[in-house]
């Protein structure tokens, strides 16, 4: 099960956070700081999975942006690792060339996309067309 | 930082323009919508925590005024919500806005409404009182005629919904299960899953409907229902054994490529769905031979199929191995799985190695001999820079014990210890492992030597471990009691309150030690002292978190956690404490190792209680620990597991999964009784469903067509083309980790070569400059004369300068690929010492044809260089590069480089065989792939399809029987691949078989491209 989904940049600034179990606001920032610290301390010869407290962190770096997913013991690390990439591909498709700025200026849309893909910590959709369909309709309707 | 800001600032004007034009003509609104832009700009420019605080406080004050102002429009409110989300994301309370989020969801219009719902899901938690105010809005939206609104309502229900209000929406959601749109049905199933999670008894009556969802004609709806089933089967697998056949059928269809192509991820069919199904099968087949037998075939196929070299197939393989080792064992499968893991373990890719080691723990539990072959790798991994890898490895070692005597293992470990190349951290791990093994060893020479050597070690950590071992070793009887081999630990009691330490704590306090402060309190104090802290370099607090967690080498040592942690927190008097602690706790009732490691955990929890930061509730922590304790107890029947769990907490948790199942079956025996009635009434429907599902499996065709139709509808006006191209661009593994922006531009740059991979260069005339074109054509025709019997590609210019132009083309000879490079001397003077060389390539064997080196190329003439290329190792795309150099006027020499793309298709040749031979070969091949492909209109007739396949892919048509066709080809030098196809309507059912595992997948991909009929 996915416990949280984070996008944090190298400076330690959170660009997106989504928790699938309730965590109090002040504890979130602490957790995020520690999580990004542990990701930054990794070298390229270390694997993309880290033990952290009760969970495993699975991370992937895109430019200066880290996407970190916290999962519990039942998850398949590699499946999550690829899921992150799938998510980025969806973003890339929607924003056609996604950058950190796209994510910042469209925080709501990124959340809407993520909500299509993960619910209650479960991966519920990975089909790119189906993930984007609801959002594209919303865009279309608010345009007209 | 600075480059980011720079990028931001340059990009901002454009972005503002965009948002302004989108927000309509009203100037006031436009300026308002840039408030978000202002916030974003402010955030990117932040340099310290202090600045952030100032910025956000100001922002929050503004927002507070705006949201409560009467003239704030819904559009502005939407903007405010996004800004509030930002503030909360950065850790600042924005609770004043919660009620407005609910209002926005209630009153807003589509996107505004969606953002309102989004804000609610981010702000509120399950038991928040405001959530009740949302119920009416949800009920209204569920009844809306606008599907978008229904979707939103279903999404929010599946994210967050007050348990007590479920009855208010349940009938509405049940209705949606019959909706004509897949997305509504799918989201309804997910909403029911949520209800099942928070109030399972409320959805008990709709279990039949779950089965209906499982048999839904849409893949998405079926996949959604699997979440419910995984959960239910985890809790009580025996009630769902009858569904095994259905799950197997579904997995077979997915693995066999029966799903619409857009469910593929990097040409792997629905990988996450496969993983989900494998998990379910693992739970169903556990300790159940009859059920397991049903799934052997499909597991075998999954192992065989997933050979594509992509991360996601490794994820599937890993899950598959896990399933194979969870269910009732079948030796043939176990061996195949073990072999598969071997590839992982030996992989240079560190992520795969990790996965392999993790999987190895499953293997060793079944049969240590299968893992022995990887011993060397395991030992090498012991000094891996990554602690997570080391942890897995030391766990392996204790399992290997089954076959080797403890002495042998200790000797090995000792050898490692004395090696200089090993870091002291690893050494500490090793001594801990030796300590575990010592009580079982008969001779203790090595152990004594080790103690002697390391009690004088300069490394405090090593010395401490060695002293522990020494003290324990002095009292062998005591040690054996402490580390029992075959004792069951069922009557273990854990003193969670750590009362045995009270005396010690009191003593220390009386001597002036500082009283204990919980972690968060310390953290707060630290923060209040220096507010800028979290943006400072990370050295300090990192080391403490790194070492207090499970990764710590101290964590695995015997009772050394106390000292380990105190070293971290800076206490000194630890050496004397350590053994006392052990005695006090373990002296009474015969020493159980779990107890000891338990104590370790609890002691750790003392200085660092934030272990479970995500669970703010202490009760939860305790129940969780209790559970895991119960599980560990029942698991510790085997000595190997016992050892492992005391060696490694993490490893123990891995095996806990298996145990979960066991413990569950026990507790559910009781529950099942009370459910008997319900199960009976359910059985009739089950039977119906079973017939239905078996029907759909026997007539795959209709089933698949349904998938297709649905999928086509759903796609709507989506640009399918764009998708496929884009995925193509992102496909390449080497590009995946590149920076986002750079990645795409890279792809753009290399677009021509990507097209080349699509073989456009092979089958279509390339774009060349008009001047040289005429020349080339004449060139090609002259060459054709000697090679007319072979197919060849068009001439393509690979490089040129003012003097020469080099073109190349491919001749697909029967036994090899002949590459011809034509060098045309454009200049009026002759070129001397012209020499063309091809760089050796990994996958090819390149042979120079006679007459290749030419002393002179006369003016305005052409010379050819020929190379025959053989493929040595199957690959999909390769690159052949080389250079040409020559001298002009005896003076300077010029060198030009070029490269040419080769694809596997270049090595495919027709295979001329008879129908009988086809039949024989067909049965002898193990690797196969099936897929339905839609034909474009122009190809809808059988003859044109055949022609396309024959021409584009060089397949030999063996026979045509009615609407079925047999084709054959071979991959040079001699790897046959057979294709059987059947036409019905505008669909083409393709079935490839080959002895080579990669060939069917590859050819299928090529066929699909041909069928798409560019």
């Amino acid at each position: 099960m996915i416990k949280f989904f984070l996008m944090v940049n190298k400076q330690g600034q959170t660009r997106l956070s989504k928790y699938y179990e309730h965590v109090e606001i002040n504890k979130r920032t602490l957790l995020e700081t520690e999580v990004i610290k542990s990701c930054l301390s990794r070298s390229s010869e270390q694997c993309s999975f880290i033990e952290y407290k009760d969970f495993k962190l699975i991370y992937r770096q895109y430019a200066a942006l880290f996407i970190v997913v916290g999962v519990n013991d039942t998850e398949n690390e590699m499946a999550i690792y690829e899921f992150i990439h799938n998510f980025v591909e969806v973003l890339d498709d929607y924003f056609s060339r996604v950058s950190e700025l796209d994510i910042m200026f469209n925080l709501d849309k990124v959340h809407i996309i993520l909500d299509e893909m993960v619910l209650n910590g479960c991966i519920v959709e990975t089909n790119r067309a189906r993930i984007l369909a609801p959002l594209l309709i919303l865009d279309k309707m608010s345009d007209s | 930082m600075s480059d980011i800001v720079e990028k931001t600032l340059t990009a901002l004007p454009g972005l503002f323009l965009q948002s302004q034009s989108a927000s309509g003509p009203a100037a006031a609104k436009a300026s308002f919508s840039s408030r978000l832009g202002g916030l974003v700009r402010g955030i990117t420019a932040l340099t310290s925590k202090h600045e952030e605080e100032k910025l956000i406080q100001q922002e929050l004050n503004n927002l507070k005024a705006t949201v409560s102002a009467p003239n704030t429009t819904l559009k502005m409110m939407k903007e405010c919500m996004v800004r509030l989300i930002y503030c909360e994301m950065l850790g600042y309370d924005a609770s004043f806005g919660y009620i407005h989020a609910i209002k926005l969801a209630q009153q807003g219009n589509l996107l505004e409404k969606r953002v309102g719902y989004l804000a609610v899901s981010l702000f509120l938690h399950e038991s928040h009182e405001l959530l009740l105010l949302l119920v009416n809005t949800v009920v209204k939206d569920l009844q809306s005629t606008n599907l978008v609104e229904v979707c939103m309502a279903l999404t929010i229900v599946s994210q967050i919904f007050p348990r007590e209000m479920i009855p208010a929406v349940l009938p509405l959601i049940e209705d949606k299960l019959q909706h004509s749109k897949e997305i509504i049905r799918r989201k309804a199933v997910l909403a029911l899953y949520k209800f099942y999670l928070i109030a399972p008894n409320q959805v008990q009556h709709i279990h039949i409907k779950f089965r209906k969802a499982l048999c839904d004609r849409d893949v998405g709806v079926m996949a959604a229902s699997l979440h419910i089933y995984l959960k239910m089967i985890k809790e009580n697998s025996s009630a769902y054994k009858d569904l095994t056949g259905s799950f197997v059928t579904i997995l077979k269809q997915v693995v066999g490529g029966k799903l619409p192509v857009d469910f593929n991820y990097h040409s792997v069919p629905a990988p996450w769905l496969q993983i989900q199904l494998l998990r379910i099968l693992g739970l169903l087949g556990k300790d159940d031979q009859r059920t397991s037998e049903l799934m052997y075939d499909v597991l075998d196929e999954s192992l065989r199929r997933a050979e594509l070299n992509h991360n996601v197939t490794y994820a599937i393989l890993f899950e598959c191995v896990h399933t194979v080792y969870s269910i009732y064992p079948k030796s043939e499968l176990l061996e195949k799985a073990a072999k598969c893991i071997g590839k992982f373990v030996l992989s240079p890719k560190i992520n795969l190695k990790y996965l392999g080691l993790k999987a190895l723990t499953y293997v060793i539990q079944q049969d240590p001999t299968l893992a022995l072959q990887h011993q060397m790798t395991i030992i090498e991994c012991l000094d891996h820079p990554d602690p997570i890898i080391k942890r897995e490895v030391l766990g392996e070692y204790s399992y290997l014990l089954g076959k080797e005597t403890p002495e042998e293992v200790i000797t090995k470990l000792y050898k490692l210890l004395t090696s200089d190349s090993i870091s002291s951290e690893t050494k500490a791990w090793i001594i801990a492992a030796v300590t575990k093994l010592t009580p079982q060893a008969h001779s203790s020479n090595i152990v004594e030597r080790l103690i002697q050597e390391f009690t004088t070690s300069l490394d405090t950590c090593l010395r401490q471990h060695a002293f522990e071992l020494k003290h324990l070793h002095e009292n062998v009887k005591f040690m054996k009691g402490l580390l029992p081999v075959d004792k069951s630990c069922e009557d273990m009691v854990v003193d969670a309150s750590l009362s045995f330490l009270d005396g010690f704590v009191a003593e220390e306090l009386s001597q002036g030690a500082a009283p204990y402060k919980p972690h968060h309190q310390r953290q707060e104090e630290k923060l209040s002292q220096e507010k800028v802290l979290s943006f400072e370099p990370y050295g300090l607090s990192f080391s403490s978190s790194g070492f207090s967690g499970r990764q710590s080498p101290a964590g695995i040592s015997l009772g050394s956690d106390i000292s380990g942690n105190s070293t971290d927190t800076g206490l000194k008097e630890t050496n004397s404490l350590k053994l006392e602690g052990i005695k006090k706790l373990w002296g009474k009732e015969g020493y159980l190792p779990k107890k000891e490691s338990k104590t370790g955990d609890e002691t750790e929890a003392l200085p660092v209680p934030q272990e479970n930061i995500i669970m703010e509730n202490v009760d939860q922590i305790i129940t969780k620990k209790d559970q895991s304790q119960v599980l560990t107890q029942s698991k510790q029947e085997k000595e190997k597991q016992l050892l492992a769990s005391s060696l490694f907490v993490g490893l123990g948790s891995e095996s806990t999964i298996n145990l979960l199942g066991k413990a569950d079956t026990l507790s559910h025996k009781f529950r099942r009784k009370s459910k008997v009635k319900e199960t009976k009434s359910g059985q009739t429907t089950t039977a119906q469903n079973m017939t239905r599902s078996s029907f759909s499996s026997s007539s795959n065709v209709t089933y698949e067509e349904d998938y297709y139709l649905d999928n086509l509808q759903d796609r709507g006006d989506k640009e399918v083309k764009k998708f496929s191209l884009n995925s193509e661009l992102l496909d390449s593994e080497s590009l995946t980790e590149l920076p986002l922006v750079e990645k795409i531009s890279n792809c753009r740059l290399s677009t021509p070569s990507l097209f080349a991979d699509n073989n456009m260069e092979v089958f279509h005339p390339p774009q060349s400059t008009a001047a040289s074109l005429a020349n080339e054509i004449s060139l090609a025709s002259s060459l054709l004369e000697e090679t007319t019997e072979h197919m060849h590609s068009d001439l393509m210019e690979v490089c040129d300068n003012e003097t020469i132009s080099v073109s190349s083309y491919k001749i697909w000879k029967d036994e090899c690929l002949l590459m011809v490079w034509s060098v045309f001397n454009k200049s009026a003077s002759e070129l001397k010492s012209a020499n063309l060389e091809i760089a050796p390539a990994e996958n090819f064997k390149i042979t120079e044809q006679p007459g290749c080196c030419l002393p002179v190329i006369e003016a305005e003439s052409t010379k050819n260089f020929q190379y025959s290329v053989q493929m040595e190792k199957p690959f999909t795309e390769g690159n052949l590069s080389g250079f040409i150099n020559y001298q002009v006027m005896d003076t300077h020499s010029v060198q030009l480089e070029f490269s040419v793309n080769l694809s596997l298709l270049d090595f495919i040749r027709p295979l001329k065989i008879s129908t009988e031979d086809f039949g024989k070969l067909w049965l002898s091949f193990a690797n196969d792939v099936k897929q339905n492909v839609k034909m474009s209109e122009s190809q809808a007739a059988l003859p044109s399809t055949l022609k396309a396949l024959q021409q584009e892919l060089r397949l030999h048509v063996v026979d045509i029987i009615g609407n079925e066709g047999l084709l054959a080809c071979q991959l040079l030098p001699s790897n046959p691949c057979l294709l059987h196809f059947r036409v019905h309507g505008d669909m083409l059912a393709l079935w490839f078989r080959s002895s080579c595992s990669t060939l069917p997948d590859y050819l299928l991909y090529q066929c699909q491209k041909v069928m798409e009929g560019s």
Side-chain angles (χ1 to χ4, degrees), chain B residues 107-177:
Chain B
Q107 301 162 352
N109 195 355
L110 293 172
L111 193 54
E112 294 150 13
K113 186 185 262 297
R114 181 66 184 89
V115 171
Y117 274 134
L118 171 69
V120 168
S121 76
L122 289 169
F123 292 155
L124 305 187
H125 58 84
E126 216 96 73
S127 43
H128 201 289
E129 51 198 359
L130 283 179
L131 206 54
L132 288 174
L133 298 178
L134 195 71
V135 175
N136 272 335
T137 314
V138 169
V139 170
K140 209 183 95 217
D141 285 340
L142 281 175
Q143 289 166 316
S144 164
T145 50
N146 186 337
L147 290 186
V148 180
E149 287 181 343
V150 180
C151 271
M152 287 179 203
L154 287 170
T155 305
I156 192 77
V157 168
S158 24
Q159 284 175 316
I160 186 170
F161 199 77
R163 187 181 323 179
E164 59 276 27
M165 296 309 283
I166 291 177
V169 293
L170 189 57
L172 289 171
I173 289 173
E174 279 182 63
D175 278 350
K176 303 288 181 234
L177 290 173

Side-chain angles (χ1 to χ4, degrees), chain A residues 25 37 42 47-48 51 54 56 76-77 79 81-82 89 93 104 115-116 120 123 125 130 140, chain B residues 86 158-159 187 194 218 265-266 272 315 319 351 354 358 386 391 541 551 612 717 723 737:
Chain A
I25 295 175
K37 269 181 204 167
R42 308 283 288 181
C47 66
S48 314
E51 298 250 318
D54 271 354
K56 283 213 176 87
N76 176 329
E77 289 89 343
Y81 184 73
E82 282 307 302
E89 281 184 359
D93 193 15
M104 296 187 75
D115 281 352
E116 288 297 317
N120 293 302
I123 297 175
E125 187 59 82
R130 291 188 171 195
K140 217 177 185 176
Chain B
Y86 249 106
S158 24
Q159 284 175 316
K187 285 185 180 276
K194 176 69 180 182
D218 182 83
Y265 172 75
H266 291 249
W272 294 277
E319 206 62 50
N351 285 344
Y354 166 82
K358 193 175 161 189
D386 197 341
R391 250 165 36 78
S541 65
Q551 298 183 2
N612 298 293
D717 54 348
F723 267 145
E737 302 290 39

